[in-house]
Amino acid sequence: MGLTRATLGFLGLFFTASALLLMFLTLLGGARNSNPLNVIYFLQTDTSNIPGAPSLSRWTFWNLCAVNSNGKSECGKSHPDFPFDPPSPRNFDTTTNIPSAFIGTSHYFLTSRFTFPFLIMALFFGVISLFTGFLAMCTRIGSYISAFMAWLALVFQIITTSLMTAVFVQGRNKFNANGQSSKLGAKAFAFMWTAVACLILSCLLYCMGGSVGKSRETGYTGRKHRRRGFFSSVRAPSVASNKEANP
């Protein structure tokens, strides 16, 4: 038995909500020193040989955080769209023991700063898709609107995740090459790429929900009208001839 529009709409709604949850968790990672936000970060690096830096540093969307003995982030005042730019005043404000690849370039600053607004746009369209997803369970137009909004959210989410992956993988490699142990934040990257997969599924499910029953209903209506036209055209001469034969 095929899936109904209500079932497909509900599944699309479920995956949209799941994607938004993962995206919000990544966005808010480091904004507060509470679980689970204090274990979500993009990059962790051994910065013990950098003057004024903590032994371990973590970059998030909001701050450059130290790491306590329990492996949790200890972040100070939050700054939205915090850049990944080690030698700048926003990070360590020094070039001592900073990998040379970070010095004299704005590549890391600009790439990391663009991830934040793109994620905000992905969340905006994702939230719209979530609300229209309730209509997708009962109407065809609701399914297509939800699919379109989920598709827009997916485009911005892919851009965000790709930029984030590129800049922090490059940063990790530069720190490791400089003898400073560095690793990516598994949770943040897992959340963001899983959100991409969830939005892809949402788009497909909403589109399937919009197409459910469309061909069957159209075909049936057409056949009904064709039969009606055929019999009326056959009966009409018969009635006329009977009237002529029996005035």
Side-chain angles (χ1 to χ4, degrees):
M1 183 176 178
L3 294 174
T4 64
R5 180 175 295 128
T7 302
L8 291 168
F10 175 78
L11 290 173
L13 192 66
F14 171 80
F15 284 110
T16 302
S18 299
L20 288 173
L21 175 62
L22 297 174
M23 292 158 67
F24 272 115
L25 284 173
T26 306
L27 174 67
L28 297 175
R32 294 187 62 184
N33 296 322
S34 58
N35 193 48
L37 302 182
N38 57 3
V39 293
I40 300 173
Y41 58 91
F42 301 130
L43 184 69
Q44 176 179 295
T45 301
D46 180 1
T47 54
S48 56
N49 62 347
I50 297 177
S55 297
L56 287 175
S57 298
R58 288 175 176 174
W59 280 267
T60 70
F61 272 130
W62 301 92
N63 213 329
L64 177 62
C65 308
V67 183
N68 62 25
S69 57
N70 296 321
K72 310 293 185 180
S73 299
E74 289 187 349
C75 304
K77 186 178 178 180
S78 296
H79 305 275
D81 201 7
F82 191 83
F84 173 58
D85 191 17
S88 75
R90 295 180 179 88
N91 284 199
F92 302 123
D93 195 18
T94 183
T95 57
T96 304
N97 294 325
I98 298 292
S100 59
F102 294 120
I103 301 173
T105 179
S106 58
H107 165 69
Y108 298 93
F109 173 82
L110 292 176
T111 307
S112 61
R113 288 293 290 257
F114 272 110
T115 58
F116 189 86
F118 279 123
L119 179 57
I120 295 300
M121 287 187 280
L123 287 168
F124 173 75
F125 290 112
V127 169
I128 294 177
S129 180
L130 180 70
F131 285 113
T132 58
F134 292 99
L135 296 176
M137 292 189 288
C138 54
T139 65
R140 179 174 292 117
I141 187 64
S143 296
Y144 288 135
I145 291 175
S146 299
F148 180 66
M149 292 299 168
W151 180 80
L152 289 175
L154 173 63
V155 170
F156 287 113
Q157 176 65 8
I158 289 175
I159 294 173
T160 300
T161 309
S162 298
L163 288 175
M164 187 183 83
T165 301
V167 70
F168 287 108
V169 167
Q170 291 172 1
R172 179 201 61 184
N173 294 341
K174 300 304 181 184
F175 276 119
N176 283 333
N178 199 46
Q180 296 161 295
S181 178
S182 184
K183 67 176 183 178
L184 299 175
K187 291 182 177 62
F189 285 92
F191 288 170
M192 291 294 277
W193 282 111
T194 302
V196 169
C198 287
L199 287 173
I200 291 174
L201 291 173
S202 297
C203 291
L204 294 175
L205 290 165
Y206 284 139
C207 287
M208 290 171 62
S211 62
V212 163
K214 184 175 181 180
S215 59
R216 182 172 64 252
E217 292 170 3
T218 303
Y220 175 78
T221 303
R223 288 196 299 271
K224 181 178 180 181
H225 284 301
R226 284 197 296 272
R227 291 195 191 101
R228 182 177 297 172
F230 172 76
F231 285 115
S232 61
S233 62
V234 171
R235 287 196 300 270
S238 300
V239 173
S241 59
N242 289 336
K243 288 182 178 179
E244 290 175 0
N246 301 298

